[in-house]
Structure formats: C-alpha cells, structure tokens
Amino acid sequence: MQKGLEGAFAAGGRHCAVLGCGVDLCYPKENRMLYQKLQRKGALLSEYVPGTPPLAGNFPPRNRIISALSDVVLVMEARKRSGSLITADFALEQGIDVYALPGPVTSSLSQGCHQLIRQGAGILISPEEFLSDLPYKLQKLLIKFSEKSNENEIMLESPEKLLYSVLSLEPKNIQKIEEELSLTRGEIMEGLLNLEMNGWIQEVSKNDYIRLK
C-alpha cells in the first residue's frame, strides 16, 4: 500500500487511502509523512467513526471499499493468504476486472498472483498490453495524466531538473545531493528554493527535502 501511494504521488496521479480505523488515526505510525500528505493533497476515507482503533477485523471489510472505488484492480504481489486477494475477490463480486503480475514460482509473494491467474484474472505482461485492454475512457484518462506529467517536466530547467530528478519521497540531505550532482552549494540552494516556492518539493526537516509531485 505504501509503495502504491508513493508511486501515485511520484506520477502526479490522484491519491486516496481507505483506512481500517478512524480517519483521525495514522496506522502504522511510520506512515505519518504519507498520512499528512494525503490530508493536504488527497483523501482519507473510513466507514469507522473517529477514534476507532486499527483492529485486525476492520481491514477485510475495508477492502471492499477499495475495490468499489477502482476501475481496475492490479495485484502486483500477494501471498497465498493476503489482503490483496480479499480485495480481488470483492472486485470480482462487484464486476470489476482484476489483473495479476506473475513472478518466480519460488517466491511466496507471487503465490497469490498465480492463484488469481489460474482463476481467470488478466495477466500483466507489459504496460502497453495492459493499456490496450482497458476501455477507451480509461485509456484517455491515463494518456491525459501522462501528457500533464510531460508538460510539468518541460517546465523544469537545469539545475532544477537535475535536483528534482535525484529527490524522492524519502528525505534526502543537501550533503547527499552534493555528492550525487556536479553542482555548487550555491546552485543547489538556489535550485531547491525555486522548486520549493513552486510547490515541487518540500523541506521536511533542516536541509532534508522530498519531492511532492
């Protein structure tokens, strides 16, 4: 789930998390940064009242909301018994297409995906083939996001483009940036300031930066 959200933020997509607790609680606590980012630039949904703790029994029912909000469900990794399979089962009941990514037969993280494929789920072979299977409406939507991402990329000039390329959702210190780029400290500071003022990055702690788009 965390990797999926990070990927959505990096690609400039739309972001929504369905919680198995009250919306006022962050679970697990180490996802605090993603939780706060979703508060600012996404959505946090829950059918549980504020203050409800993240009990194990809350999560399987939560998954039916995740599938219901989806146009297509993609399962990238899944153990033989996992929440991903519960979500896929709900999706099939709701008439939503399910695709699974095959993996090594020796990997426990691929067992659930292989089980879904055996049951008739679509096979994820390549992005191009997957897109060609989607309804025309969804293809247009994804192309629109891709074009928007390309437009944003063109707007960035060097050294801002270089600085942005080495940042991610994990905080990175200026000293580490200096080691990776052939830029002076002055160029780095000026570039980071420009990126932050335009909403591309954020200084999360002293001299530690993350990308926002």
Side-chain angles (χ1 to χ4, degrees), residues 10 152-153 156-170 172 176-177 180-183 188 191-192 195 200-201 209-213:
N152 289 339
E153 185 176 352
L156 291 175
E157 300 296 336
S158 296
E160 283 87 353
K161 190 171 183 178
L162 286 173
L163 287 166
Y164 184 74
S165 69
V166 301
L167 293 176
S168 67
L169 296 175
E170 293 295 325
K172 183 173 288 188
K176 180 65 175 176
I177 295 173
E180 295 182 18
L181 298 177
S182 299
L183 298 173
I188 291 174
L192 290 173
L195 288 170
W200 289 89
I201 66 172
Y209 293 85
I210 60 170
R211 63 194 293 175
L212 296 177
K213 299 182 181 181

Side-chain angles (χ1 to χ4, degrees), residues 72-91:
V72 181
V73 170
L74 310 182
V75 181
M76 311 307 289
E77 290 181 340
R79 300 184 187 277
K80 202 166 185 178
R81 294 179 178 273
S82 70
S84 298
L85 295 186
I86 294 174
T87 305
D89 286 341
F90 279 128

Side-chain angles (χ1 to χ4, degrees), residues 108-146:
S108 62
L109 293 175
S110 297
Q111 290 179 355
C113 293
H114 296 158
Q115 180 179 320
L116 287 172
I117 293 170
R118 187 177 183 183
Q119 293 172 347
I123 304 176
L124 287 171
I125 297 176
S126 69
E128 294 76 17
E129 185 167 326
F130 170 67
L131 288 173
S132 68
D133 285 346
L134 292 179
Y136 180 67
K137 176 182 174 182
L138 284 178
Q139 290 184 30
K140 285 185 66 178
L141 181 62
L142 289 173
I143 291 171
K144 180 180 178 182
F145 276 126
S146 176

Side-chain angles (χ1 to χ4, degrees), residues 64 67-68 85-98:
R64 82 188 191 287
S67 59
L85 295 186
I86 294 174
T87 305
D89 286 341
F90 279 128
L92 292 172
E93 291 177 6
Q94 295 159 344
I96 296 166
D97 289 336
V98 175

Side-chain angles (χ1 to χ4, degrees), residues 7 30 39-40 58 74 79 97 126 161 166 174 204 208:
E30 54 265 30
Q39 286 181 314
R40 299 192 308 269
N58 294 350
L74 310 182
R79 300 184 187 277
D97 289 336
S126 69
K161 190 171 183 178
V166 301
I174 287 181
V204 293
D208 289 331

